Amino acid sequence: MSLCGPPRARKRINWKKFEIELAPRIKPNHISTISDINRNIVQLTNNIQNECENCSYSVGQSELLKPLLDEILLEIDTKRILRNNWQQTRDPRMKTLYNAQVSYVKDFLTKHRLHEWQLFTSTLNVKNKSLYKLNRRLLHNPPPSQPLRTPAETQIYDSNLKAELFADTMTAQFQNNPGPPLLEVNDSIAKLRAPNIPPSENYVLPNELGT
């Protein structure tokens, strides 16, 4: 039996509702620069995370889960800030800080999970059959449904990790198409970016057309 933390309520996602709710929000805005691409990716990631959270529900939750410590929540918020900064700047130094923060948060959560597991197991008692109930729950705990598979053939279940996978996939897809510069394309872009020409005052009234 692995010390993976106390038994938790199963969390599922209504994927049909997720598809319906996300469909009108995945249309990208006007894209003309790399910053526009990064901004759309960040917006899409946030939309996916929000919809995963809105369309999820718990099954068989018999008791409320203890909230995370404020120290852990602070480190998670720091990780999110670093991730957003890296997605917007693509600075290698920011990527290094983000990777270090991810490792730190994982270690922090692992220690916290082990501590909570030890506290939970210390409350078990053979007399009130809590130990046997725990054993039955661990043996008959089905895996979460609808996992996503990464390019490395790893299955993920967490909604935040799924959103990260979507973001990485979009980042890999929305790349500039390399090629030689074309004069026609440059002229078209220059015309589109040129200021609008004000309308001429040499107009003709409708009643003057027949004269």
Side-chain angles (χ1 to χ4, degrees), residues 133-160:
K133 292 179 181 178
L134 171 62
N135 183 57
R136 185 168 61 252
R137 290 176 62 183
L138 292 175
L139 291 177
H140 300 283
N141 186 22
S145 60
Q146 301 294 339
L148 292 181
R149 191 181 301 275
T150 65
E153 299 299 325
T154 302
Q155 292 184 348
I156 56 177
Y157 302 92
D158 183 71
S159 59
N160 292 330

Side-chain angles (χ1 to χ4, degrees), residues 4 36 43 57 67 81 84-85 96 108 153 156 162 199 207:
C4 57
D36 294 337
Q43 182 179 359
Y57 59 95
I81 293 174
N84 292 334
N85 291 338
T96 302
F108 205 161
E153 299 299 325
I156 56 177
K162 291 179 180 179
N207 56 3

Side-chain angles (χ1 to χ4, degrees), residues 49 78-87 98 164:
Q49 289 178 340
T78 303
K79 179 182 72 71
R80 292 172 178 170
I81 293 174
L82 291 175
R83 181 191 61 196
N84 292 334
N85 291 338
W86 172 73
Q87 290 177 341
Y98 170 65
E164 290 286 349

